[in-house]
């Protein structure tokens, strides 16, 4: 048992837009005052986070003059230095300004696409200067309400051209920076292109520099589509593409909730944390979430502390699961393998002939109980703290 206090090696990070969220929603205005990026850095240091991430315009207003921009960056760097807070990830806001109302990279208007490219290049330069090693692309407006407006295959092609362009830019500048694509099925558009992490992984294989592009999956986004997030993470990990992760929580079938990590679906988040810890994921554990609209800034701190604390509690539960003799005996039994079929691991003509000649006890094997009820009950009891 630990005190669940966050440590730097936990790599817990928050976006400026997360703890800085002022509680606006489609039905109501802000409930919290705006706090400056510098104050957010101090707030994150106070709650024990490792790092902060940002969109260009979380830090630098879209209409800032070059002088204002220089001053803002200087003040922000000073806050990072004073607190020790790191800035591992940067991203571009390609969704708030009206110019992006019909998309950025996938817009039908070449001026919009070119402006989006320019905005990304500027953000990459500043992000790298502030220490970013990962650059996220979330295409919040890359989608449609009506498919009469755009050919979906053209849109994917434009998306590909954009990511190829930025890959070449990063190479030409000799930046130590990897790109991470974030999927979402819908909201704010009726349908977004490349709606799931699996779709992104398929898309990455078609790029000019697939080796420098990975994914930034978000719990809420796969849950919105009713999918098993941990399975998406496992696929990304297997492909060597888990460059970053957005942790939060979300019930299936709802609007984009972005709840505190572990606020809603404990069992799913347990298996997620267990997966990340078992495989030894060492990237940022970024909380892309925000406090309930009911909260003031004390509540925002409760929210941020809660995200990290719940992660660490679930990490401890995963260790307990891995050390539980009864659970491990069941798992050993379920995974028993006497090596009889090792010859099938690679194809050979002899192996295929041997396989053809093998008799299987199909009915007997089909009748065997697998004890998953007991295994799941034991898992639940670990989670409920009675084991
Ligand atoms: C926005 C979105 C997130 C993305 C952020 C990065 S912005 O808050 O809801 O899922 O990760 O652009
Ligand atoms: Mn996100
Ligand atoms: Mn989200």
């Amino acid at each position: 048992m630990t005190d669940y206090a966050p440590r730097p090696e936990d790599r817990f990070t928050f976006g400026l837009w997360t703890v800085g969220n002022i509680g606006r929603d489609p039905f109501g205005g802000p409930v919290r005052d705006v706090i400056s990026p510098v104050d957010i850095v101090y707030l994150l240091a106070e709650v024990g986070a490792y790092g902060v991430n940002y969109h260009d315009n979380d830090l630098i207003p879209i209409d800032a003059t070059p002088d204002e921009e220089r001053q803002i960056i200087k003040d922000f760097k000073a806050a990072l230095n004073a607190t020790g807070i790191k800035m591992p990830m940067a991203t571009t806001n390609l969704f708030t300004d009206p110019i992006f109302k019909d998309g950025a990279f996938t817009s039908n208007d070449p001026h919009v696409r070119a402006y989006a490219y320019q905005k990304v290049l500027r953000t990459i330069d500043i992000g790298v200067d502030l220490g970013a090693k990962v650059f996220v692309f979330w295409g919040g407006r890359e989608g449609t309400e009506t498919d009469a407006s755009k050919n979906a295959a053209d849109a994917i092609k434009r998306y590909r051209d954009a990511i190829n362009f930025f890959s070449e830019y990063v190479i030409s500048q000799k930046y130590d920076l990897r790109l991470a694509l974030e999927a979402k099925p819908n909201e704010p558009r009726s349908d977004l292109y490349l709606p799931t992490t699996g779709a992104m992984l398929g898309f990455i294989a078609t790029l000019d520099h697939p080796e420098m592009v990975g994914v930034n999956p978000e719990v809420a986004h796969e849950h919105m589509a009713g999918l098993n997030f941990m399975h998406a993470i496992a696929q990304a990990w297997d492909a060597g593409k888990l460059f970053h992760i957005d942790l939060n929580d979300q019930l299936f079938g709802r609007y984009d909730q972005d709840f505190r990590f572990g606020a809603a679906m404990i069992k799913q988040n347990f298996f997620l944390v267990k997966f990340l810890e078992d495989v030894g994921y060492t990237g940022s554990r970024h909380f892309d979430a925000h406090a309930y609209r009911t909260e003031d800034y004390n509540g925002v701190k409760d929210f941020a502390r809660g995200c990290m604390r719940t992660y660490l509690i679930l990490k401890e539960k995963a260790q307990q699961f891995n050390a539980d003799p009864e659970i491990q005996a069941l798992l050993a039994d379920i995974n028993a393998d006497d090596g009889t079929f090792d010859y099938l691991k690679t194809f050979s003509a002899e192996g295929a002939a041997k396989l053809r000649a093998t008799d299987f006890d199909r009915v007997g094997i089909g009748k065997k109980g697998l004890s998953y009820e007991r295994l799941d009950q034991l898992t639940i009891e670990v989670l409920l703290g009675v084991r």
Side-chain angles (χ1 to χ4, degrees):
M1 178 85 101
T2 69
D3 57 359
Y4 310 115
R7 293 162 311 159
E9 55 269 35
D10 297 320
R11 292 287 183 276
F12 290 140
T13 64
F14 291 81
L16 284 180
W17 68 95
T18 65
V19 282
N21 180 285
I22 53 176
R24 193 185 285 124
D25 74 14
F27 302 93
V31 293
R32 292 183 284 270
D33 294 336
V34 173
I35 53 172
S36 72
V38 164
D39 285 343
I40 293 175
V41 169
Y42 280 94
L43 184 153
L44 289 177
E46 184 187 334
V47 298
Y50 165 79
V52 64
N53 306 310
Y54 78 107
H55 297 94
D56 49 354
N57 304 136
D58 297 335
L59 185 60
I60 304 158
I62 198 164
D63 49 7
T65 65
D67 279 350
E68 286 165 346
E69 178 175 311
R70 260 190 297 279
Q71 189 60 46
I72 289 168
I73 293 172
K74 198 171 157 223
D75 294 345
F76 192 64
K77 275 186 178 168
L80 295 177
N81 283 334
T83 56
I85 291 283
K86 302 283 183 283
M87 213 292 305
M89 182 272 263
T91 182
T92 323
N93 184 325
L94 299 170
F95 45 88
T96 299
D97 195 84
I99 192 172
F100 299 126
K101 62 179 183 276
D102 191 31
F105 309 150
T106 62
S107 165
N108 284 329
D109 184 339
H111 295 87
V112 175
R113 300 201 296 272
Y115 175 68
Y117 278 33
Q118 183 197 59
K119 207 165 182 291
V120 170
L121 295 192
R122 288 182 174 166
T123 312
I124 289 178
D125 291 344
I126 296 172
V128 168
D129 178 46
L130 289 169
K133 294 280 185 280
V134 176
F135 198 88
V136 164
F137 290 91
W138 173 64
R141 298 281 171 194
E142 313 291 10
T144 57
E145 284 71 44
T146 169
D147 285 328
S149 65
K150 215 172 280 170
N151 178 313
D154 288 345
I156 301 293
K157 189 179 172 313
R158 289 173 186 160
Y159 218 130
R160 180 182 305 115
D161 289 346
I163 302 300
N164 285 340
F165 185 92
F166 305 129
S167 301
E168 294 292 353
Y169 179 70
V170 167
I171 292 168
S172 74
Q173 296 298 112
K174 299 193 170 55
Y175 287 154
D176 175 18
L177 188 71
R178 299 194 296 172
L179 314 183
L181 311 182
E182 179 175 347
K184 190 176 182 184
N186 57 271
E187 208 180 338
R189 301 308 294 268
S190 179
D191 290 290
L192 293 171
Y193 297 118
L194 301 167
T196 63
T197 297
M200 284 300 182
L201 289 168
F203 174 69
I204 290 168
T206 72
L207 298 172
D208 289 348
H209 290 283
E211 72 287 351
M212 60 191 287
V213 186
V215 290
N216 175 39
E218 175 173 316
V219 177
H221 296 178
E222 306 290 320
H223 281 194
M224 285 172 75
L227 298 175
N228 183 314
F229 183 69
M230 188 270 282
H231 290 189
I233 289 299
Q235 190 189 352
W237 179 262
D238 175 71
K241 292 296 182 195
L242 190 63
F243 289 6
H244 201 263
I245 190 168
D246 277 0
L247 300 171
N248 57 14
D249 214 349
Q250 168 86 33
L251 293 169
F252 288 168
R254 305 289 172 96
Y255 65 96
D256 184 13
Q257 294 179 307
D258 287 340
F259 284 151
R260 185 183 80 253
F261 181 64
M265 295 176 77
I266 289 290
K267 195 175 169 186
Q268 285 83 350
N269 288 317
F270 165 71
F271 285 117
L272 170 62
V273 171
K274 180 168 151 29
F275 183 88
L276 294 173
E277 296 300 322
D278 284 351
V279 298
Y281 171 77
T282 55
S284 287
R285 289 167 177 79
H286 174 231
F287 297 105
D288 187 5
H290 45 80
Y292 300 146
R293 196 164 177 268
T294 49
E295 303 308 293
D296 60 13
Y297 278 102
N298 283 322
V300 170
K301 289 179 201 169
D302 291 338
F303 147 82
R305 289 192 175 103
C307 286
M308 298 185 283
R309 187 174 165 83
T310 299
Y311 186 99
L312 293 172
I313 294 169
L314 292 176
K315 178 176 169 181
E316 187 182 76
K317 296 289 179 189
Q319 286 158 354
Q320 198 187 334
F321 179 102
N322 290 340
D324 188 301
E326 207 177 334
I327 291 175
Q328 291 311 313
L330 278 173
L331 287 173
D333 196 33
I334 290 160
N335 289 294
D337 184 347
D338 64 6
T340 306
F341 296 106
D342 281 358
Y343 70 89
L344 291 178
K345 282 185 179 150
T346 47
F347 177 83
S348 72
E350 307 77 66
K354 190 173 163 188
L355 179 63
R356 278 181 185 284
T358 304
D359 282 329
F360 287 93
D361 176 16
R362 177 178 51 81
V363 174
I365 296 170
K367 278 189 172 155
K368 192 171 170 261
L370 299 180
S371 306
Y372 290 178
E373 283 289 357
R374 231 175 97 212
L375 182 60
D376 189 67
Q377 182 63 27
L378 291 170
T379 307
I380 292 294
E381 294 192 11
V382 166
L383 285 177
L384 295 181
V386 297
R387 275 187 79 74

